[in-house]
Amino acid sequence: MRTAVATTGARLGLLACESCQLVSRPASATEPGFCRRCGEQLEWRRHASIETTWALVIAAAICYIPANALPVLTTTTLGTSEGDTILGGVVFLYTSGSWPLALVVLIASVMIPLGKLIALSYLLITVQRGSVKSGHERTRLYRMVEFIGRWSMLDVFVDTFTVALVQLQPLMSVDPGPGVLFFAAVVVLTMLAAESFDPRLIWDSANPYPARHG
Amino acid sequence: MADEPNLDELPQATVVRKKRGRISIVWIIPILAAVVAVGIAVQRILSEGPSITIVFKVAEGVEAGKTFIKYKDVNIGQVTAVQLSDDYAKVLVRAKIAKSAAGLMVKDAKFWVVEPRISLSGISGLSTLLSGNYIGFEAGKADQDERDFIGLDEPPPITNQRGRKFTLKSNSLGSLGVGAPVYYRQLSVGEVAAYNLAGDGKSVEITVFINSPYDKYVTTETRFWNASGVNVTLGADGVEVQTESLAALIAGGLAFDVPDVVSPGQPAAANATFTLYRNRAVAMKQPDPIARRFALYFDESVRGLSIGAPVTLYGLPVGEVASVGMSIDPKTQAFRPRVLVTFFPERLMAVLREKQQAAGKALEDASPEARQRNIRRQVEENGLRAQLQTGSYLTGELYVAFAYYPNAPKVKLDFSKDPLELPVVPGGLANIEAKLTSILAKVDNMPLNAIALEVKGAIASLDQTLKDADTLIKSVDAQWVPEGTKTLEDARKAIAAADRALSDADTNLLAPNSPAPQDLRDTLQEVARAARAVRVFVDYLERHPDVLIRGKPQEKQ
């Protein structure tokens, strides 16, 4: 675990443009100004990164509850409608014998969104508390969260696909439930949260830079 | 740069407070999410109706999450759990009732399990074709709310719809079920509300409910009949196919109407009892209050004669066969079929001309003695007889036909017997059969061999006769031809003489004093003689032409 003070751009009082990567000196410590080359606004760290990320994580956490409580699919068979939640689907798959599939759904649709929320919260808390420990692990965690984000839409994709295919009126039809909207919201919000989180913050506590306190 | 920091270069403290720590706009997102989530939660909680428990003896086909509670065919709740009671004797069905129907859960509300039924109410109804069992609901009138109910074993009679109930009596239920439609002129106007076995267990009582605007068409004269399925009758009357509607074809149904000939009568009272007839034809038949029974003893097969087969008088239906049985002739101890026919005089009245109906009525209403006299006249004097006739050669259906046979052997009616025995004549087919048999028997009895021998002898004698004739002709040839030749020879001689004489005369007449006139006279006399001889011969021949064949030796020349 390397906790030695590293030389960073911020520590040297230099900024890199987020857009064109041109290194420039800030106009002032508090108001870094604009990039001379591309005109992008320069920032020491992403603007209100922690606050934005927190807001998105909380919104995603709120949406996570109805996403699991409300049905994602409404199956109508011969006049009888039946709503299925994600967990209900997992239980059905498990009881009907296909436990590997149940496991896949459980991991992909329940555990990964929850894991992302927990991981982002953990990153935010550690950054806010100025933790200097296990920066590498936290960075790896962040990369994982960012990478996984795009795959979480699989559920929504399957859902819409099924709805479009199974329309055998009047014998059978499948309609999307309200749960799928919340599920999509969870995925989108966690993706945005991961995007708004500035991973450089993980190292800032170990490598303080003057502008941070300016 | 400079080693000594220049104090003047230090930034000045600003007076205006920097706008820091203001809440980022991004917090709108979680707030929005929270509002939506809370909104949905609140809506859920608010829309949550009461939970109720219904106790059933059996809960056939009731499944948690799949069975609905329906009121007027609208889902008002869903079964959430089905479990046994603590003493395992009953079934506890827990159900969630929709908020909108919460007000219906009062003390005297009724629940019952509705068995599945296939109903076809148009194409759109196809989705309910296989709707499973559901729990029926009937609203109560009490004000007290209730959450625990005891389910009924059978659906309650329909109560809160406007209309009237009637009871139908039937021998069997047929394919009817609760909810089966009742049709009036092929309009669905009601349904079967309930059915149960009559107290004595010998008939079924079906309760039908007729909806309000139509119940007034149920009158004292109304007939109900079973309109289930297709009714195909192949009887002596021909093929008859009848169905009320496609739905009735599958789900069964009833229909009612008033026969055309009967006046509609007064609207029937609620709960009035009617007879449920087997089919429309039976239902629409005239009531036959007067029925007379007669016995017929046939001497032929009654195969194809079924109970209910028509009894006709000159082809018009006047009754029906009541029973077909067997009896023993007391005299000969032989078996013979005994057919009981029921004769409905009113049917005869119906086909009589209007003016004669009164006369017919008078006959019918007469005293038993007068009626006896009438029957005696019809049968003994006019020759009224019964005959078995074939209604359809395809099926061999028979019917009993009455007609007058004045040449039939006379009979004497015995009015002491009940039912009265009426005389019969052999049936159409049987008659033909008997005649054919007798012809065949006669053919069989002919002495064909003797006849053949006689014919042979006759032919032989004919042959002989022909030979004789031949001989005769030959002898005629021999006898008569020379005679004729001689006569002709004489004639020729005479003519030659005449010729000579004429030529002599020719020459002699020219010379005076010639002997010609004498000679001519002689010649003429000879010619006259010859002519006379020919005439006599011709005359004789004319009178006796047979002389040509037989010949006569002494011929006067």
Side-chain angles (χ1 to χ4, degrees), chain B residues 333-345:
Chain B
Q333 297 294 310
F335 288 106
R336 56 181 185 167
R338 178 176 187 265
V339 175
L340 269 183
V341 295
T342 317
F343 187 76
F344 302 114

Side-chain angles (χ1 to χ4, degrees), chain B residues 31-360:
Chain B
I31 289 166
L32 208 70
V35 166
V36 171
V38 167
I40 285 177
V42 167
Q43 195 206 338
R44 277 261 159 150
I45 291 161
L46 287 181
S47 68
E48 194 93 313
S51 274
I52 58 160
T53 308
I54 315 162
V55 181
F56 284 109
K57 273 190 193 153
V58 282
E60 195 191 332
V62 174
E63 279 180 74
K66 287 196 176 146
T67 306
F68 295 98
I69 297 175
K70 289 187 180 183
Y71 176 50
K72 293 178 188 285
D73 269 345
V74 173
N75 284 356
I76 58 163
Q78 195 172 12
V79 172
T80 52
V82 181
Q83 61 197 91
L84 288 172
S85 63
D86 292 338
D87 58 354
Y88 310 120
K90 286 180 171 144
V91 184
L92 300 180
V93 174
R94 277 182 223 291
K96 231 173 194 40
I97 301 296
K99 177 95 173 162
S100 56
L104 290 168
M105 299 300 127
V106 292
K107 213 165 178 67
D108 57 350
K110 297 182 187 89
F111 294 87
W112 66 96
V113 177
V114 180
E115 307 281 331
R117 65 191 164 105
I118 297 171
S119 68
L120 273 179
S121 53
I123 301 299
S124 64
L126 274 175
S127 59
T128 60
L129 194 67
L130 294 170
S131 76
N133 284 12
Y134 62 89
I135 295 177
F137 173 80
E138 182 67 48
K141 291 188 176 99
D143 296 327
Q144 273 176 285
D145 279 3
E146 179 66 52
R147 293 292 176 260
D148 297 302
F149 299 93
I150 292 172
L152 303 177
D153 296 337
E154 279 182 12
I158 304 156
T159 49
N160 61 346
Q161 254 179 305
R162 284 165 53 88
R164 273 183 292 169
K165 277 189 294 182
F166 302 101
T167 307
L168 309 180
K169 274 190 177 276
S170 174
N171 287 333
S172 61
L173 186 62
S175 56
L176 295 173
V178 170
V182 178
Y183 294 95
Y184 175 65
R185 297 182 186 277
Q186 299 195 331
L187 249 70
S188 181
V189 296
E191 60 178 50
V192 172
Y195 54 83
N196 59 281
L197 217 54
D200 59 357
K202 284 186 178 159
S203 65
V204 181
E205 286 178 351
I206 300 163
T207 309
V208 292
F209 186 84
I210 310 295
N211 295 332
S212 179
Y214 306 106
D215 59 345
K216 63 170 178 260
Y217 300 115
V218 179
T219 66
T220 48
E221 291 297 328
T222 293
R223 316 280 171 78
F224 283 84
W225 69 90
N226 196 331
S228 304
V230 191
N231 203 341
V232 181
T233 328
L234 184 66
D237 295 337
V239 183
E240 212 179 308
V241 183
Q242 207 173 37
T243 181
E244 198 69 19
S245 82
L246 193 63
L249 192 70
I250 293 168
L254 298 174
F256 68 88
D257 207 342
V258 176
D260 295 334
V261 289
V262 179
S263 66
Q266 298 298 310
N271 294 319
T273 304
F274 294 90
T275 306
L276 180 63
Y277 292 95
R278 200 168 67 246
N279 54 43
R280 186 190 167 91
V282 174
M284 286 296 148
K285 257 184 196 167
Q286 294 267 15
D288 297 306
I290 308 169
R292 308 228 181 283
R293 291 211 152 188
F294 298 104
L296 305 170
Y297 294 94
F298 288 100
D299 290 325
E300 57 193 292
S301 167
V302 292
R303 186 174 174 274
L305 186 69
S306 52
I307 292 169
V311 173
T312 64
L313 177 63
Y314 282 112
L316 293 168
V318 291
E320 55 189 43
V321 172
S323 83
V324 179
M326 195 58 97
S327 71
I328 294 174
D329 190 335
K331 277 179 253 163
T332 61
Q333 297 294 310
F335 288 106
R336 56 181 185 167
R338 178 176 187 265
V339 175
L340 269 183
V341 295
T342 317
F343 187 76
F344 302 114
E346 293 207 340
R347 293 197 193 173
L348 194 58
M349 300 296 128
V351 293
L352 277 180
R353 268 177 50 217
E354 219 162 280
K355 275 184 186 170
Q356 297 176 330
Q357 273 181 6

Side-chain angles (χ1 to χ4, degrees), chain B residues 384-406:
Chain B
L384 185 71
R385 296 288 185 275
Q387 189 185 39
L388 278 183
Q389 286 194 354
T390 308
S392 158
Y393 285 100
L394 195 68
T395 58
E397 289 278 341
L398 292 180
Y399 67 97
V400 177
F402 277 91
Y404 291 108
Y405 295 90

Side-chain angles (χ1 to χ4, degrees), chain A residues 30-31 47-48 51-52 54-56 58-59 62-63 66 69-71 78-82 170 178 182 189 214, chain B residues 18 20 22-24 26-27 29-31 33-37 40 44 65-66 68 75 78 126-128 130-131:
Chain A
T30 48
E31 296 285 333
H47 175 72
E51 194 182 17
T52 311
W54 263 127
L56 293 170
I58 289 165
I62 291 167
C63 289
L70 296 177
L78 295 170
T80 328
S81 315
E82 214 176 326
F182 286 98
L189 288 171
Chain B
K18 287 208 79 176
R20 289 203 60 177
R22 72 190 163 109
I23 291 164
S24 167
V26 83
W27 285 103
I29 295 169
I31 289 166
V35 166
V36 171
I40 285 177
R44 277 261 159 150
K66 287 196 176 146
F68 295 98
N75 284 356
Q78 195 172 12
L126 274 175
S127 59
T128 60
L130 294 170
S131 76

